[in-house]
Amino acid sequence: MAQPIIQAENVSKVYRLGTLGSGSVKKDLKRWWLTNVLKKESAYFGAVIGEEQYQDQEFWALRDVSFEINEGDVWGIIGSNGAGKSTLLKILSRITKPSSGRIRGRGKISSLLEVGTGFHPDLTGRENIYISGHFLGMTRNEIKRNFDEIVAFSGVEKFIDTPVKRYSSGMYVRLAFAVAAHLDPDILIVDEVLAVGDAEFQKKCMGKMKDVSTNRGRTIIFVSHNMQAVNSLCSKAIWLQTGKIKSTGNAHTVINQYLGAHQRRLWQQEWSPENAPGNEYIKVLSVKLEPDIPEPGTPLTITNALTVKFTFQNNTNDINLVAGLHLFTLAGECVFDIATAPGIFKEGLMEGECSIPGNFLNDGSYYFSIIFVKDTSEPVFYLEECIYFDMEDYRVNTTWFGKWMGYVRPQFPFYIKSVNPVT
Amino acid sequence: MRKNSFWEWEITKRTPWFGADFKELYSFRDLLFRLVRKEFLMYYQQTLLGPLWMVIQPILTVFTYVLIFDKVIGLETQGVPPFLFYLTGITLWSLFSDIFLGTSGTFTQNANIFSKVYFPRIIAPVAILLLHLIRFLIQLLLLSVVLAWYYFTGRYQPDGNWLLSVPVIIMTAGTAFGAGLIFSVISARYRDLMNLQQLLVRLLMFLCPIFYSLAMVPGDKKWLVSLNPLSSFFEVFRYAFIGKGTASMNELVYSAVWMVALVAVGILLFNKRGDQLMDVI
């Protein structure tokens, strides 16, 4: 049975926005005078001194966060910007103190909050390996023992006695990561280091973290915006929202909840006949995206089929009508433009439907526009950007977590085979 | 219920006055020595003469002072060759000003690294202290060489006891370290102080008997120099090496009390306030 290695109880961190970095003696003296001499308790919350009003506000970066992490677990911390992820990491790394609550734990912690902690541009690669290693908690003997391996791992052998300011940024990052990769703490805290570096480097990072957790049984706490990475690396996850734990538990479940709540969506719009968009020929009454997801609230992934449905009032009787569907990426590039077969329809309520199979679109943000054309060439009405949706990535059995290229990711029959094996 | 001893460490809002325990500090000794080495390398990075600057700098400074105070103003040096007189004062003064200015920038200069990794914060100023002590020892060597030259060429016969300099060196370094720590905490909060700091150091320099001796100060102005806790250190230091200088026991006790108070307040303030400063810098 796994033992807990970190236990956080009601950890809170509050910043006073007004005092934070004000750095003015005058203001502080006034505050001191008010609270300590005049005994006005309210000094922090908007006391009026002359014409000045102090609008000191409290900002809770974390509020009553409790969790328990078992030995050997890999935890992901997810949440949008400003949710408190970094604050939590800083408290765990002992960089800043909590305002209340406590964290207890066992063993040695190393935190990688940046690539190249303690690196100095003027010093050589060799010196920087030692300095960075010591900052991250390695002893001299540990670094000595691993020195050749670190250099080999970084691939900068030739330049090891050159000041790192002359390195290319790629070499710099590789050397920095090589040091970090040879840490052997009981608990490793990693903040978004994957955000830097090229694809090859990211792959190396992920591989190393997997190795640390599976082969050496170390505990890892990992913050990332890359849900793919969290999903494949972590077994457990914490979802922070405005300083509080929104959800915690099995990584896959928590990520799905998070994505479900954060996906950009405008899946459905309906209008009454009076204010329906359109003109004397066409009035659109509703548009709707019906994704084929198992239950509401689960995120839309690239495997899900999509159905677009729309209804409109047709006020024409004798024109050759065509409906077209344009799919755009959020950046405005058209992915496809498809049209119905032309037809002459009677005046009245009409509906349209288009089915897009799963495993066709790549992950990303998209929107639909609907166009009505008469006589195959003359636009009648163009309803722009009426449906928005996000497609999440879905990958199994892969070690590659970077952005998959292209607007579409179809699964066409594709194979390689050996035709003339050398035996 | 789990036993309390199950957990090895605890993080709460409380900060112990002594920051880290000695066992922890000891475990960071490799970092300390590496930082000293780093600072040392940094000083002479991309210079032609490298560490030679450690002796060239005081020599050039002394030449300037000889030019101004001796040749131009014609200040009296109690029969001691002016070069020797000023070099003695400058050597101890640079120990003080280097340590003070170095440690007082601890938070402002290390803000980046402090916000990314934990280590007992006191390591950073202690590394600066060690660095300047080493530089001082090298400059002391220069002083000895100059002294030997005067002695063997028969130009000046000093009759001091150099052993007296040891406690004075320690106390000067301590005063600078304590004051530097206090300044580092306050100036991290109020950047205003950084502007004043240079001025303060220069003012203090003129209040120290570096180009003059206490004996030369007119009686009614003596209190001003005596008020400066560093004054007696310079007198004793000069006495130790060139046999000229006066300091009473009272003055030394006064200076020692200052030093102990500054070091104690400095370390406590640094440890206690250091953690909170992380949210400010």
Side-chain angles (χ1 to χ4, degrees):
Chain A
M1 189 58 212
Q3 298 255 44
I5 194 163
I6 291 182
Q7 186 188 57
E9 291 169 27
N10 302 318
V11 175
S12 297
K13 177 78 186 177
V14 60
Y15 289 104
R16 294 217 160 82
L17 291 181
T19 63
L20 199 142
S22 71
S24 134
V25 186
K26 188 178 145 202
K27 210 173 164 188
D28 276 12
L29 280 178
K30 266 191 184 169
R31 184 174 294 120
W32 176 83
W33 178 260
L34 268 175
T35 46
N36 294 20
V37 182
L38 301 181
K39 302 285 176 205
K40 276 191 191 161
E41 283 298 316
S42 59
Y44 271 124
F45 307 102
V48 183
I49 311 163
E51 285 168 17
E52 246 178 297
Q53 183 166 18
Y54 289 105
Q55 298 256 317
D56 291 326
Q57 286 173 357
E58 288 187 331
F59 170 69
W60 292 81
L62 284 179
R63 196 158 205 171
D64 287 332
V65 170
S66 307
F67 54 86
E68 194 170 86
I69 290 176
N70 281 343
E71 228 171 300
D73 276 359
V74 182
W75 281 73
I77 300 178
I78 58 177
S80 38
N81 287 327
K85 305 187 298 290
S86 298
T87 307
L88 183 58
L89 284 203
K90 282 191 169 180
I91 291 173
L92 281 171
S93 320
R94 298 178 65 187
I95 287 164
T96 182
K97 295 258 167 190
S99 305
S100 64
R102 71 169 170 190
I103 300 174
R104 291 184 296 176
R106 295 180 292 126
K108 189 171 143 188
I109 291 192
S110 280
S111 7
L112 297 176
L113 300 194
E114 68 176 343
V115 170
T117 307
F119 263 47
H120 198 287
D122 277 335
L123 298 177
T124 63
R126 183 185 303 277
E127 284 295 328
N128 272 313
I129 289 178
Y130 276 98
I131 290 181
S132 187
H134 287 323
F135 269 129
L136 295 173
M138 287 162 103
T139 63
R140 206 160 74 93
N141 285 333
E142 264 179 272
I143 301 176
K144 258 192 176 159
R145 208 169 47 239
N146 291 314
F147 190 85
D148 292 335
E149 215 179 302
I150 292 175
V151 176
F153 191 88
S154 69
V156 298
E157 291 94 339
K158 269 201 273 180
F159 308 100
I160 198 66
D161 288 311
T162 309
V164 296
K165 65 180 169 189
R166 311 220 190 287
Y167 282 26
S168 72
S169 52
M171 283 159 65
Y172 182 94
V173 167
R174 283 210 304 278
L175 182 68
F177 183 72
V179 180
H182 288 80
L183 286 171
D184 194 18
D186 300 304
I187 304 164
L188 183 66
I189 295 178
V190 186
D191 185 13
E192 208 74 85
V193 264
L194 296 176
V196 299
D198 50 19
E200 193 198 350
F201 171 75
Q202 294 190 5
K203 206 171 154 183
K204 227 172 175 178
C205 289
M206 293 299 290
K208 197 73 206 177
M209 294 217 305
K210 271 210 152 125
D211 171 62
V212 167
S213 69
T214 48
N215 299 342
R216 287 190 264 168
R218 300 295 185 237
T219 310
I220 298 182
I221 300 172
F222 175 54
V223 162
S224 181
H225 282 107
N226 186 335
M227 292 304 141
Q228 270 301 309
V230 177
N231 207 354
S232 86
L233 192 74
C234 306
S235 53
K236 300 287 183 64
I238 295 173
W239 168 14
L240 284 177
Q241 195 174 51
T242 57
K244 290 180 196 149
I245 290 185
K246 181 88 177 173
S247 172
T248 175
N250 176 283
H252 192 72
T253 319
V254 175
I255 290 170
N256 274 349
Q257 288 170 341
Y258 171 76
L259 289 177
H262 277 83
Q263 279 191 330
R264 174 199 298 273
R265 59 169 77 189
L266 179 62
W267 284 4
Q268 194 171 1
Q269 292 199 80
E270 276 178 49
W271 296 274
S272 57
E274 303 87 64
N275 52 20
N279 49 31
E280 66 257 49
Y281 306 110
I282 298 287
K283 280 207 184 298
V284 181
L285 298 171
S286 73
V287 291
K288 190 177 183 188
L289 179 77
E290 274 181 7
D292 173 29
I293 48 176
E295 53 187 277
T298 53
L300 179 55
T301 73
I302 56 167
T303 59
N304 300 122
L306 306 172
T307 307
V308 179
K309 290 180 176 172
F310 55 93
T311 57
F312 60 98
Q313 181 69 37
N314 175 20
N315 295 331
T316 66
N317 244 327
D318 48 1
I319 60 169
N320 212 357
L321 190 66
V322 171
L325 197 56
H326 297 168
L327 178 70
F328 293 91
T329 65
L330 200 59
E333 299 266 11
C334 188
V335 179
F336 64 66
D337 168 10
I338 51 177
T340 60
I344 296 171
F345 300 95
K346 286 264 179 275
E347 196 177 323
L349 187 67
M350 294 185 66
E351 63 173 25
E353 184 173 324
C354 176
S355 300
I356 298 147
N359 290 315
F360 168 65
L361 285 176
N362 198 357
D363 67 296
S365 302
Y366 299 93
Y367 63 85
F368 275 116
S369 297
I370 300 174
I371 190 165
F372 298 92
V373 180
K374 92 176 181 190
D375 301 332
T376 63
S377 59
E378 193 187 328
V380 174
F381 177 62
Y382 192 29
L383 183 62
E384 288 181 89
E385 303 179 27
C386 55
I387 291 173
Y388 276 97
F389 63 100
D390 278 357
M391 292 286 245
E392 289 304 327
D393 205 343
Y394 180 85
R395 292 178 216 172
V396 282
N397 302 328
T398 177
T399 51
W400 156 244
F401 306 104
K403 174 79 177 100
W404 201 294
M405 287 196 296
Y407 298 136
V408 293
R409 203 198 293 182
Q411 292 186 338
F412 298 139
F414 184 32
Y415 62 89
I416 46 174
K417 66 179 180 185
S418 153
V419 279
N420 186 15
V422 181
T423 47
Chain B
M1 280 307 286
R2 263 180 244 108
K3 271 191 238 119
N4 240 356
S5 58
F6 177 80
W7 302 107
E8 289 169 12
W9 46 260
E10 188 180 61
I11 301 171
T12 59
K13 75 186 268 194
R14 279 181 304 110
T15 312
W17 277 100
F18 282 99
D21 55 48
F22 288 103
K23 206 178 109 202
E24 191 185 6
L25 284 177
Y26 184 71
S27 72
F28 277 93
R29 66 195 179 283
D30 286 338
L31 177 63
L32 174 66
F33 295 129
R34 187 53 62 167
L35 282 181
V36 175
R37 189 184 148 89
K38 171 197 161 192
E39 294 293 334
F40 204 80
L41 289 173
M42 297 287 308
Y43 256 90
Y44 307 107
Q45 202 59 236
Q46 286 196 3
T47 59
L48 217 54
L49 299 175
L52 266 183
W53 276 111
M54 262 184 295
V55 292
I56 298 173
Q57 213 170 16
I59 289 177
L60 288 179
T61 315
V62 172
F63 270 123
T64 323
Y65 289 152
V66 169
L67 191 73
I68 294 170
F69 294 110
D70 185 54
K71 303 289 181 228
V72 178
I73 305 179
L75 213 61
E76 150 75 4
T77 52
Q78 297 177 300
V80 182
F83 188 85
L84 189 59
F85 191 91
Y86 297 149
L87 183 64
T88 320
I90 291 296
T91 306
L92 191 65
W93 172 253
S94 36
L95 175 71
F96 176 84
S97 73
D98 286 351
I99 293 177
F100 175 71
L101 291 175
T103 49
S104 64
T106 302
F107 284 103
T108 39
Q109 284 176 11
N110 292 308
N112 191 38
I113 189 85
F114 280 8
S115 68
K116 292 297 182 195
V117 70
Y118 169 80
F119 57 95
R121 301 310 187 205
I122 196 86
I123 297 267
V126 169
I128 301 280
L129 174 71
L130 289 183
L131 167 79
H132 290 301
L133 278 174
I134 293 168
R135 278 167 47 117
F136 173 76
L137 288 181
I138 293 166
Q139 287 173 359
L140 210 55
L141 211 65
L142 169 75
L143 179 65
S144 314
V145 170
V146 171
L147 208 60
W149 184 78
Y150 276 102
Y151 183 78
F152 287 114
T153 55
R155 282 158 211 261
Y156 183 72
Q157 303 293 326
D159 57 346
N161 179 0
W162 68 270
L163 272 177
L164 282 175
S165 71
V166 177
V168 166
I169 293 166
I170 293 170
M171 286 203 284
T172 307
T175 309
F177 184 64
L181 289 185
I182 295 172
F183 253 77
S184 74
V185 173
I186 305 176
S187 66
R189 188 82 177 79
Y190 308 108
R191 298 284 161 99
D192 323 51
L193 264 192
M194 314 237 292
N195 300 313
L196 276 177
Q197 182 174 296
Q198 292 289 338
L199 191 78
L200 262 168
V201 169
R202 214 168 306 149
L203 193 75
L204 195 63
M205 178 170 157
F206 288 109
L207 278 181
C208 287
I210 297 171
F211 336 101
Y212 56 89
S213 72
L214 210 54
M216 292 155 57
V217 180
D220 59 330
K221 307 239 168 46
K222 212 164 216 154
W223 63 270
L224 196 64
V225 181
S226 305
L227 210 61
N228 175 4
L230 292 172
S231 294
S232 56
F233 297 152
F234 282 88
E235 290 292 318
V236 173
F237 189 74
R238 194 154 44 227
Y239 176 77
F241 283 98
I242 54 181
K244 288 280 191 295
T246 46
S248 68
M249 207 57 212
N250 281 349
E251 285 168 338
L252 276 173
V253 169
Y254 169 75
S255 302
V257 169
W258 262 100
M259 184 214 84
V260 172
L262 283 173
V263 170
V265 172
I267 290 179
L268 294 182
L269 197 67
F270 186 90
N271 285 330
K272 194 76 178 170
R273 285 278 155 184
D275 283 316
Q276 296 162 27
L277 279 177
M278 285 318 301
D279 300 333
V280 178
I281 54 174

